[in-house]
Amino acid sequence: MESLCGLTLGADPEGFWDILEERRRSSDLSHALRTFNPQHYCRITTSSSSTINRTVLKSQYLRYITQEIAEETGEPVELVREEAAGILEEMAQNLQLGFIRLLAFSLSKTFKRLFSSIRVNEEGLSRLQAAIKDHPVILMPTHRSYVDFLVVSYILFTYDLPIPVIAAGIPLMGMKLIGEIFRRSGAFFIRRTIGSDKLYWAVLSEYVKTLVRTGFAPLEFYVEGLRSRTLKSLSPKLGMMYMILEPFIKGEVFDISLVPISISYDRVLEESLLTHELLGVPKPKETTMGLLKARKVLEENFGNMHVYFGVPVSVRDLANGKVNRSQYNLVPRDLPLKPSEDVRVFVGDVAQRVVRLQEQGMVLSPWSLMALVLIQYPEGLDWDLLTQKTLWLKGLALCYGARLDWPEQVSNLEMMSSHLALHHTVARCEKGRVLLVEEDGLHGAEPVSEEEGVLRRAAVVLICASYRNQALHVFVRPAMAAVAMTTASSVRKLDVFSQFRFLLDVFANEFIFIRNNAEQDFDQACALLQRSGAVCADEHSLNVTEEGQTTLHFLQTMLEPFIQTYKMVFRFLCESNAQVFTERNFTPAVRSFAVKLILSGELQCYECLSSDTQKNAISALLNIGAVTKSRVSEQTEFSVNKAAVMRIADTLDGHTPSLMISHSRL
Amino acid sequence: MASDSDSTKRQRSAEQRLRIIAGHLQKPDTDGHTGIAAQGCKAETAQPKSVKANTLPQRRQEVLKWNGWGYSDSRFLLNKKGQAEFTGKRYPLSGMILPSLKNWFEGTFGASEQHRSPAVPVLNASAVPVPNLNQAFMEELKALGVTLSQEPDDRVFRSHGHCLHEIFALREGRIGKVPDLVVWPSCHDDVVKIVELACKHDVCLIPFGGGTSVSGALECPPEETRSIVSLDTSQMNRILWIDEKNLMAHVECGIIGQDLEKQLNERGYCVGHEPDSMEFSSLGGWVATRASGIKKNGYGNIEDLVVHIRMVSPRGVIEKGCQGPRMSTGPDIHHFILGSEGTLGVVTEVTIKIRPIPEYQKYGSIVFPTFQQGVACLREVARQRCAPASIRLVDNDQFQFGHALKPQVSSIFTSFLERLKKFYITKFKGFDPQHLCVATLLFEGDREKVLQHEKQVYDIAATFGGLPGGEDNGHRGYMLTFVIAYLRDLGMDYFVIGESFETSVPWDRVLDLCRNVKERILKECNAKGVQFPPFSTCRVTQTYDTGACVYFYFAFNYRGLSDPVHVYEQVERAAREEILANGGSLSHHHGVGKIRKQWMKETISDVGVGMLKSVKEYIDPNNIFGNRNLL
């Protein structure tokens, strides 16, 4: 449970341990060359990468698929099989201890330069050690930075645990030399867009399943699919999750342990990169040169990193009563079949649960709380006010069960100023006033156009918003209830709940909510509001208390940027002359619409320029059914039901009873 | 001349056959046997009982345990020196000291000599409910002149099979519902009359064969209010005729397995149906439960062996009109009877295939580095359809268990050889003693073919890393099958309870099923608060073209549990659910009885259950055969 009111991590009561401390005291070389003798999965069937690859190519499943493809395309089977072998060669990892040692050595050097500390919860690692022995283990870290990529392997090496194989994006492989080093460090490579390439999909799926079945090594993958550019958890991707769970559902392994890993950064290496991506400036290709250029990054300090290894989750326990494992009794298990409805629902459910657990394991830095305050004062605020508000918020966060990195022995003032200093690129204090720092444009300090001025302003707002996002999961449920209270038709719990459920539906892609869990989410929200003294609730109603106004207002304001953005998107869709958009045109069109609104002064919220939030708004409409998606000649098109969109916008304002929409979703 | 030499040859092979049976079953029998003749029912009853070659008396409790497995004189015990020994004279292991059994037992279960849980020594007759008799029925029955008994011990003996909960209750002296009366018909016509009377007076009949059921099939339904009569077929035990031209024998249903083989052997024939319970189980029981024997590969399962069945039902006698080897005459009515578990009537006579006794028999064994390779080898043997009469693969736990049952070696030379063999396999060949497993083999046929066959199988084994493990290991493997059932009684003296259960499953799921079921048992035991690690082990006991039969043993030390039987049943239920989820069947040969009824619908579909119900409805509308098994 997350109701750990009053818990602080100041003195590391969670048992976080700085692994860099040892590295600063003793030789990195002897660390890299230490005896490495981890205890493996007790039923491991092979420890050879080439055996894995052979098993994959020989598998009955690939035999079925290649036969099928050969029949469809008219190509000879041998050719299809060769193609499959080619795909596998491009994909497969080639884990070698020597390269892990090399990596350990260079990472020790790099990490010491970048971070003040890397703190790891050791009891999580001993749980992991026990789990690795019993069942195949899936390591599921959050993905906020490229640093995530190898830090888990580094830690596992340090603690004498088996080195994981890691699902990575193909672009990493494209980096000469580095790609090969990664491959030998256990990375296997997946194309970004697999789409309908049946053979590719099949090879990947069989490869992943074979890794799980054989228990070759812990398998590490990012369930969020992508590095989150908003630093907020992303809605999980289910393709790989399904591949991983399949061996359990088909009885090929007794159980699988999912280990959520929450990697929290005081400051993210790619922060400036992030926002440019969010504004729609294309992402730089991941090249070796790019990485070398990033060396200037090495001169900066990025504070602390916390890596929290969560409690292993048994897939078998999760599946109990939800999945009928007998469904494969009458067909060969290798037959390529679409997953049944119960399996699809289950996979989504598991993925969401893990992301929730990741969120609960995140450690908040004081800066996230400061950003949460700062973002509500776009024109800046006095240091004293910032201090006062931040400390108030700290109390609220602790009351809501956040894990907070705020040691007792350091004074609050010192803590906050050091974090402000760490984030000097985002905000600074001038004459007692704290202001956001705008980055210089490409053409010097002066903006060339009004539009660029807006984007430049938006860039820093979005960085600040990203750090705020790191803390949102702590507040999102009570905040959602707080918003629901303002738009609900009465203080009756039933009315607030129906509005709350409507908000869950609308923001289903924005925040992580477990499907069909609205009642529990609402109960939890009410309990937290009550605990923080913001409302007093009886069986039937929620009443705002005298002193609760501030809290509720703060919580409502917290969600305001998202509501604004969604409303802007809804407005764009309704006001536009066209009924149909291509997916490609949507982002630029909505961006220029938003810029126009900001320039005209109609819109003050720069966060509306976040393309991620805009896309989430569209996904929400797709889910609700107000927008439908179709593929027309290689392009994805959205067609908009304007009346439905308008109805949703109205409900968001509290104008129509929200029940209708909630139901229309069903 | 020719016929003379033929008959001596046959006699020779008959003698050999006897030795073989004695070999893996019991010590040579020195009693003389009289011949069997096809006689009429009346003629037979007029003769004194001693003429027959029956191993078991009518009052079975005189030689068999009333609250445990098998012969009263044969049991495992820890003697005064603290060593395990097996008593009696019937088995090769009888009278022997088993030096490593105690250590294995204590190490595996955490059991100890200090913690005993003895059974009540004798049946307390006053605890047996007073019989609920139907007077009108009784009067007419007595007029028939069949043997009857209302004695408590007779009735208790026929009130149970060998499920854990049944034996556990008896050992504690708890007697549940028991039949009100036992009748012993002596021929088909007796049965017809008894069934007619039962229908007339609405009395519930429960057929009883060998009493070796492990499905709760013999339990009297608690909700039954009518008088319950146990119809004991044991006195219908004659071979009525042997047809040497067509190789068939017509046999009464109550004959027990060992008598059937013994008597046929004397004539130079065998049936070859050897379930693990064959010392006690009956031909009628095999038919009623769809039994399977270890030499299935050579002779077939019971459904393959049966040529003709005669069954008495409340509707009348059901049988086919000829003995054609196969018919296309609609659904085979035999298949309504096979596996009907006493719900439709009593099987009274069976015509069964017989074979000349094989000239040569050879045991063998193969050691594999891992269970996985062993299974792969069995699969290949099945693919090539070259399985010997029997081929079974035991996992590592069972292999070690088998070693614990090795008797004290008499000569230093044998012990030296044993150690040399062990050294060769573990050190020279690098097999991990914690992983290796053993397949036991039994070849039958003429000598030359056996040797050829043996080579073929060992060649296949070699491609899966299998090494020949010697005849002894094979022989011991099969011998253990018969004594292993006695071991549960020893366990129960020291707080250890357990049982076996089985399934059949397609080849590609064998390994997954074995692993998942064992892990499920472990997980459930932990969840249910079992204080000691459970023992669960499996073996692949039968191979088919498309799959295999897997047999599990599961036992644990129940010290510290308030309701051990309930815990046991919960774990077994979970294990069964795991089996079904992994594509295994509800049962390969134990049957459904009462303890597996709950899964019948998912096993044969709603319509399937409906079909069986409608047959029951037609044949037995008043539920005279009211044991309530199966449906």
Side-chain angles (χ1 to χ4, degrees):
Chain A
M1 269 307 293
E2 53 187 65
S3 53
L4 303 157
C5 203
L7 178 103
T8 56
L9 289 170
D12 270 4
E14 286 276 324
F16 277 97
W17 192 264
D18 179 13
I19 54 168
L20 289 187
E21 197 184 306
E22 170 77 22
R23 294 277 50 71
R24 294 190 209 279
R25 280 192 280 111
S26 66
S27 148
D28 289 337
L29 192 62
S30 63
H31 170 255
L33 296 178
R34 57 201 288 276
T35 5
F36 181 68
N37 189 18
Q39 196 174 10
H40 289 277
Y41 170 47
C42 62
R43 295 183 191 278
I44 190 168
T45 50
T46 177
S47 51
S48 133
S49 299
S50 54
T51 310
I52 296 272
N53 299 352
R54 264 202 312 279
T55 313
V56 170
L57 289 177
K58 276 198 318 205
S59 72
Q60 184 66 46
Y61 174 69
L62 270 192
R63 214 173 292 168
Y64 277 127
I65 290 276
T66 45
Q67 187 66 40
E68 231 175 74
I69 292 174
E71 274 164 27
E72 281 164 15
T73 59
E75 280 177 53
V77 180
E78 294 72 33
L79 212 67
V80 183
R81 293 192 67 79
E82 262 170 51
E83 219 177 303
I87 293 173
L88 184 63
E89 199 181 336
E90 173 194 274
M91 181 184 301
Q93 55 77 32
N94 184 17
L95 184 57
Q96 290 170 8
L97 187 56
F99 280 81
I100 292 295
R101 294 190 188 282
L102 175 68
L103 212 69
F105 181 73
S106 42
L107 285 181
S108 291
K109 297 283 180 215
T110 318
F111 284 158
K112 278 191 287 190
R113 216 184 255 193
L114 288 173
F115 298 104
S116 310
S117 69
I118 296 180
R119 298 195 211 160
V120 178
N121 67 326
E122 288 199 331
E123 115 277 20
L125 283 162
S126 44
R127 283 189 305 239
L128 175 61
Q129 181 170 32
I132 285 176
K133 211 165 71 305
D134 291 342
H135 304 295
V137 162
I138 313 299
L139 302 171
M140 300 173 72
T142 52
H143 197 12
R144 306 286 177 265
S145 163
Y146 287 125
V147 177
D148 299 329
F149 190 69
L150 289 167
V151 74
V152 174
S153 304
Y154 180 75
I155 295 170
L156 264 50
F157 174 73
T158 304
Y159 281 89
D160 212 21
L161 295 170
I163 304 299
V165 292
I166 314 167
I170 281 274
L172 274 178
M173 183 190 76
M175 299 159 70
K176 276 176 219 145
L177 198 65
I178 300 271
E180 199 48 40
I181 292 177
F182 279 5
R183 190 189 292 280
R184 291 177 189 215
S185 310
F188 64 95
F189 297 99
I190 305 168
R191 291 182 194 160
R192 271 270 179 265
T193 44
I194 303 174
S196 54
D197 187 341
K198 195 161 150 185
L199 186 63
Y200 190 86
W201 194 257
V203 174
L204 173 61
S205 148
E206 187 60 29
Y207 186 64
V208 169
K209 286 187 283 186
T210 306
L211 288 172
V212 175
R213 281 185 208 124
T214 52
F216 173 77
L219 174 62
E220 177 180 336
F221 90 108
Y222 303 113
V223 67
E224 296 167 289
L226 299 164
R227 184 167 53 89
S228 167
R229 303 178 293 187
T230 55
L231 303 189
K232 184 159 64 60
S233 295
L234 301 176
S235 264
K237 300 278 181 291
L238 304 183
M240 176 90 86
M241 190 79 240
Y242 173 57
M243 296 171 196
I244 284 168
L245 295 180
E246 220 188 314
F248 166 75
I249 297 168
K250 292 189 170 172
E252 292 161 340
V253 293
F254 178 73
D255 199 354
I256 296 173
S257 294
L258 307 178
V259 181
I261 301 174
S262 318
I263 308 178
S264 326
Y265 295 91
D266 276 0
R267 185 179 168 203
V268 182
L269 258 77
E270 305 78 347
E271 63 181 17
S272 63
L273 223 62
L274 295 179
T275 46
H276 285 108
E277 289 164 10
L278 279 176
L279 285 169
V281 183
K283 167 181 172 181
K285 257 194 126 185
E286 286 148 57
T287 61
T288 313
M289 275 316 279
L291 198 79
L292 291 177
K293 276 185 199 146
R295 276 184 63 96
K296 85 161 194 249
V297 164
L298 292 180
E299 277 134 42
E300 296 253 358
N301 178 17
F302 291 87
N304 302 321
M305 186 201 304
H306 282 86
V307 185
Y308 178 81
F309 288 84
V311 178
V313 180
S314 150
V315 172
R316 175 172 277 265
D317 289 349
L318 290 180
N320 193 10
K322 293 199 184 132
V323 173
N324 168 21
R325 285 184 293 140
S326 307
Q327 61 188 288
Y328 301 100
N329 284 1
L330 299 178
V331 285
R333 287 177 297 171
D334 319 291
L335 208 61
L337 289 174
K338 286 229 159 61
S340 61
E341 183 58 21
D342 63 337
V343 170
R344 282 198 314 112
V345 169
F346 174 66
V347 171
D349 191 63
V350 170
Q352 280 179 325
R353 267 170 212 282
V354 172
V355 178
R356 269 301 283 148
L357 290 170
Q358 288 176 343
E359 285 186 340
Q360 287 163 13
M362 290 306 256
V363 175
L364 300 192
S365 91
W367 170 248
S368 286
L369 298 181
M370 290 163 74
L372 200 44
V373 176
L374 199 53
I375 197 100
Q376 296 193 7
Y377 296 86
E379 302 311 316
L381 78 169
D382 286 345
W383 170 256
D384 292 342
L385 186 60
L386 177 63
T387 314
Q388 184 208 327
K389 288 258 176 197
T390 306
L391 291 179
W392 170 79
L393 189 56
K394 176 189 169 193
L396 190 66
L398 291 176
C399 177
Y400 288 177
R403 292 166 192 273
L404 203 51
D405 176 31
W406 199 314
E408 304 261 313
Q409 61 272 27
V410 186
S411 82
N412 289 331
L413 201 68
E414 213 178 303
M415 200 67 200
M416 286 178 57
S417 26
S418 70
H419 273 270
L420 187 63
L422 187 65
H423 292 277
H424 60 92
T425 50
V426 184
R428 72 170 71 101
C429 186
E430 274 170 26
K431 296 175 196 140
R433 215 174 153 70
V434 181
L435 298 164
L436 292 178
V437 178
E438 282 180 40
E439 208 183 318
D440 287 348
L442 292 168
H443 311 284
E446 286 303 306
V448 281
S449 68
E450 277 185 313
E451 190 178 331
E452 202 191 319
V454 170
L455 292 181
R456 202 178 291 177
R457 176 73 189 159
V460 67
V461 170
L462 287 180
I463 294 184
C464 187
S466 297
Y467 286 110
R468 169 207 61 196
N469 286 346
Q470 286 186 319
L472 270 188
H473 62 92
V474 174
F475 303 98
V476 70
R477 282 164 184 77
M480 211 79 120
V483 173
M485 284 168 71
T486 63
T487 52
S489 52
S490 78
V491 294
R492 288 196 317 141
K493 264 191 173 174
L494 268 180
D495 290 327
V496 179
F497 176 62
S498 78
Q499 192 67 18
F500 180 84
R501 196 158 65 179
F502 164 76
L503 290 171
L504 287 196
D505 284 348
V506 171
F507 293 107
N509 295 73
E510 202 63 53
F511 308 106
I512 303 300
F513 299 110
I514 290 161
R515 216 174 115 113
N516 297 331
N517 202 36
E519 275 91 358
Q520 286 95 310
D521 281 329
F522 184 65
D523 288 347
Q524 195 192 20
C526 294
L528 291 180
L529 284 177
Q530 225 174 330
R531 190 189 293 172
S532 55
V535 299
C536 64
D538 56 38
E539 221 176 300
H540 302 294
S541 59
L542 284 171
N543 298 299
V544 185
T545 59
E546 189 92 1
E547 66 278 16
Q549 290 289 357
T550 337
T551 311
L552 287 179
H553 183 255
F554 188 87
L555 290 172
Q556 287 150 6
T557 316
M558 197 182 287
L559 292 186
E560 201 50 35
F562 297 97
I563 297 174
Q564 293 277 339
T565 311
Y566 275 52
K567 280 187 184 164
M568 183 276 293
V569 171
F570 296 163
R571 189 171 153 194
F572 165 74
L573 294 175
C574 293
E575 284 181 12
S576 162
N577 297 326
Q579 198 90 32
V580 177
F581 301 87
T582 62
E583 190 174 31
R584 195 179 299 162
N585 292 343
F586 171 75
T587 311
V590 80
R591 186 176 58 218
S592 60
F593 181 74
V595 170
K596 233 176 277 167
L597 287 181
I598 290 173
L599 285 174
S600 72
E602 263 187 88
L603 195 62
Q604 274 85 39
C605 178
Y606 282 83
E607 278 192 57
C608 290
L609 287 167
S610 164
S611 63
D612 265 31
T613 317
Q614 294 159 2
K615 282 180 201 152
N616 286 341
I618 279 285
S619 308
L621 293 177
L622 276 168
N623 284 350
I624 295 171
V627 165
T628 46
K629 201 171 170 178
S630 54
R631 281 193 72 82
V632 180
S633 61
E634 299 295 302
Q635 293 227 18
T636 306
E637 284 188 352
F638 298 123
S639 31
V640 185
N641 176 348
K642 290 190 178 177
V645 174
M646 241 172 303
R647 234 180 8 248
I648 294 166
D650 278 349
T651 315
L652 208 49
D653 286 330
H655 292 325
T656 42
S658 47
L659 272 177
M660 271 169 47
I661 285 112
S662 304
H663 281 180
S664 76
R665 193 187 171 191
L666 311 170
Chain B
M1 275 299 277
S3 87
D4 238 34
S5 85
D6 250 290
S7 78
T8 49
K9 199 172 159 193
R10 198 184 299 141
Q11 198 175 348
R12 240 197 353 262
S13 61
E15 279 162 14
Q16 188 187 11
R17 173 69 196 158
L18 266 174
R19 277 200 306 278
I20 288 162
I21 279 278
H24 69 243
L25 189 55
Q26 58 183 163
K27 292 210 159 169
D29 201 332
T30 45
D31 298 347
H33 295 298
T34 48
I36 325 112
Q39 293 163 317
C41 180
K42 285 295 161 212
E44 171 60 24
T45 43
Q47 288 192 3
K49 287 270 184 265
S50 65
V51 177
K52 287 208 279 182
N54 293 324
T55 313
L56 302 178
Q58 183 172 340
R59 282 175 58 79
R60 296 185 198 194
Q61 59 272 34
E62 284 166 5
V63 291
L64 300 184
K65 295 192 190 80
W66 68 278
N67 64 353
W69 180 261
Y71 298 104
S72 306
D73 56 18
S74 302
R75 61 165 66 242
F76 284 98
L77 51 80
L78 299 183
N79 63 21
K80 288 189 188 97
K81 288 186 202 152
Q83 290 169 310
E85 69 174 85
F86 191 57
T87 63
K89 291 180 180 153
R90 297 175 188 269
Y91 299 91
L93 220 52
S94 296
M96 297 230 191
I97 302 285
L98 312 159
S100 35
L101 180 59
K102 182 164 169 265
N103 274 343
W104 175 85
F105 183 64
E106 293 181 342
T108 305
F109 295 105
S112 90
E113 250 180 301
Q114 281 80 53
H115 297 104
R116 297 207 57 194
S117 50
V120 300
V122 286
L123 173 64
N124 175 7
S126 65
V128 181
V130 180
N132 161 28
L133 296 174
N134 179 320
Q135 286 312 326
F137 171 75
M138 286 300 288
E139 274 164 32
E140 290 200 47
L141 191 63
K142 278 177 189 156
L144 288 183
V146 291
T147 323
L148 307 173
S149 168
Q150 297 175 38
E151 293 302 315
D153 56 347
D154 284 330
R155 288 158 54 215
V156 168
F157 194 89
R158 282 151 191 90
S159 68
H160 67 86
H162 286 268
C163 282
L164 176 73
H165 70 271
E166 295 171 313
I167 298 301
F168 196 90
L170 289 176
R171 287 174 58 95
E172 292 199 324
R174 284 186 283 120
I175 311 291
K177 200 171 169 75
V178 305
D180 301 298
L181 180 74
V182 183
V183 306
W184 285 270
S186 53
C187 62
H188 172 82
D189 291 345
D190 281 356
V191 175
V192 171
K193 287 173 201 153
I194 293 167
V195 172
E196 271 171 11
L197 286 184
C199 291
K200 184 173 167 194
H201 298 285
D202 197 19
V203 162
C204 173
L205 292 179
I206 297 185
F208 182 89
T212 57
S213 139
V214 281
S215 60
L218 290 167
E219 279 179 305
C220 298
E223 63 270 40
E224 182 60 67
T225 53
R226 298 171 294 182
S227 179
I228 300 176
V229 175
S230 176
L231 196 152
D232 185 323
T233 57
S234 64
Q235 303 314 301
M236 298 170 60
N237 52 24
R238 297 161 302 170
I239 295 176
L240 297 177
W241 47 253
I242 291 176
D243 176 349
E244 298 190 69
K245 287 184 181 151
N246 297 304
L247 291 179
M248 302 190 283
H250 192 64
V251 188
E252 285 184 316
C253 64
I255 193 164
I256 56 173
Q258 56 170 319
D259 289 345
L260 177 64
E261 283 299 306
K262 214 183 298 173
Q263 292 173 24
L264 283 174
N265 285 177
E266 286 164 13
R267 301 277 294 265
Y269 295 103
C270 68
V271 171
H273 184 73
E274 296 182 9
D276 292 354
S277 61
M278 73 174 290
E279 297 163 273
F280 311 107
S281 58
S282 69
L283 173 59
W286 300 340
V287 171
T289 55
R290 290 181 71 85
S292 172
I294 54 167
K295 298 198 297 197
K296 181 275 295 179
N297 297 333
Y299 301 89
N301 287 317
I302 193 70
E303 68 273 20
D304 310 310
L305 288 166
V306 160
V307 179
H308 182 266
I309 303 173
R310 198 173 209 196
M311 181 175 82
V312 180
S313 81
R315 277 275 170 194
V317 175
I318 174 172
E319 63 184 320
K320 291 183 184 175
C322 70
Q323 294 184 327
R326 181 185 187 273
M327 304 182 204
S328 173
T329 51
D332 190 339
I333 56 161
H334 282 172
H335 287 286
F336 288 113
I337 299 167
L338 286 155
S340 60
E341 303 193 359
T343 59
L344 301 178
V346 199
V347 174
T348 54
E349 288 169 13
V350 177
T351 308
I352 195 161
K353 294 179 196 170
I354 56 172
R355 302 286 307 160
I357 295 176
E359 162 195 312
Y360 188 64
Q361 197 176 32
K362 192 174 181 192
Y363 290 97
S365 68
I366 306 168
V367 186
F368 292 99
T370 64
F371 188 63
Q372 195 185 356
Q373 276 157 296
V375 171
C377 172
L378 261 63
R379 203 279 160 269
E380 185 56 33
V381 167
R383 195 198 309 275
Q384 296 190 21
R385 290 197 172 167
C386 63
S390 172
I391 177 165
R392 309 208 290 198
L393 178 76
V394 302
D395 69 0
N396 182 264
D397 286 316
Q398 215 165 124
F399 165 73
Q400 300 202 9
F401 173 33
H403 268 255
L405 286 172
K406 272 195 180 169
Q408 213 158 21
V409 247
S410 39
S411 84
I412 300 167
F413 181 67
T414 338
S415 131
F416 172 73
L417 269 186
E418 282 290 321
R419 259 182 281 160
L420 196 68
K421 210 187 296 169
K422 192 176 164 193
F423 176 82
Y424 175 73
I425 286 178
T426 59
K427 296 291 185 304
F428 191 73
K429 282 289 177 179
F431 284 22
D432 180 347
Q434 299 308 310
H435 285 120
L436 61 81
C437 71
V438 176
T440 54
L441 311 166
L442 172 59
F443 297 93
E444 279 189 358
D446 61 62
R447 197 184 146 83
E448 204 172 310
K449 274 192 190 139
V450 163
L451 296 178
Q452 215 177 340
H453 193 175
E454 194 186 20
K455 184 177 180 315
Q456 186 186 7
V457 172
Y458 284 117
D459 284 350
I460 294 174
T463 64
F464 294 93
L467 296 173
E471 270 188 84
D472 269 7
N473 277 322
H475 191 185
R476 189 168 45 246
Y478 290 100
M479 180 265 293
L480 284 184
T481 306
F482 293 97
V483 297
I484 218 163
Y486 286 95
L487 213 57
R488 181 170 77 181
D489 294 330
L490 173 71
M492 288 172 93
D493 286 338
Y494 295 91
F495 285 95
V496 173
I497 52 176
E499 183 144 46
S500 60
F501 53 92
E502 42 71 38
T503 187
S504 55
V505 64
W507 276 117
D508 75 315
R509 308 196 64 143
V510 169
L511 281 173
D512 290 336
L513 182 134
C514 291
R515 178 197 56 236
N516 289 354
V517 169
K518 285 191 209 170
E519 291 225 21
R520 180 71 181 267
I521 287 173
L522 199 62
K523 189 179 162 97
E524 295 293 328
C525 282
N526 282 336
K528 301 284 181 297
V530 176
Q531 314 272 312
F532 300 85
F535 176 67
S536 67
T537 159
C538 67
R539 61 172 186 244
V540 178
T541 60
Q542 293 288 9
T543 64
Y544 293 87
D545 285 351
T546 62
C549 167
V550 183
Y551 200 94
F552 292 90
Y553 288 111
F554 156 50
F556 62 86
N557 184 334
Y558 67 85
R559 251 164 61 213
L561 297 180
S562 60
D563 191 352
V565 172
H566 183 61
V567 170
Y568 172 83
E569 285 173 348
Q570 283 178 309
V571 177
E572 192 189 321
R573 190 174 311 137
R576 181 59 61 183
E577 260 154 21
E578 194 60 38
I579 287 175
L580 297 176
N582 282 275
S585 65
L586 188 53
S587 172
H588 170 265
H589 60 272
H590 280 176
V592 175
K594 299 184 183 66
I595 65 170
R596 284 177 278 273
K597 268 161 82 161
Q598 57 181 304
W599 293 288
M600 272 304 270
K601 276 195 177 176
E602 62 178 289
T603 302
I604 63 168
S605 80
D606 284 356
V607 179
V609 169
M611 277 171 75
L612 297 186
K613 275 193 175 146
S614 67
V615 169
K616 166 81 178 172
E617 189 59 38
Y618 171 76
I619 288 193
D620 185 16
N622 296 319
N623 196 27
I624 297 303
F625 287 88
N627 60 19
R628 300 189 195 225
N629 291 335
L630 210 57
L631 294 174

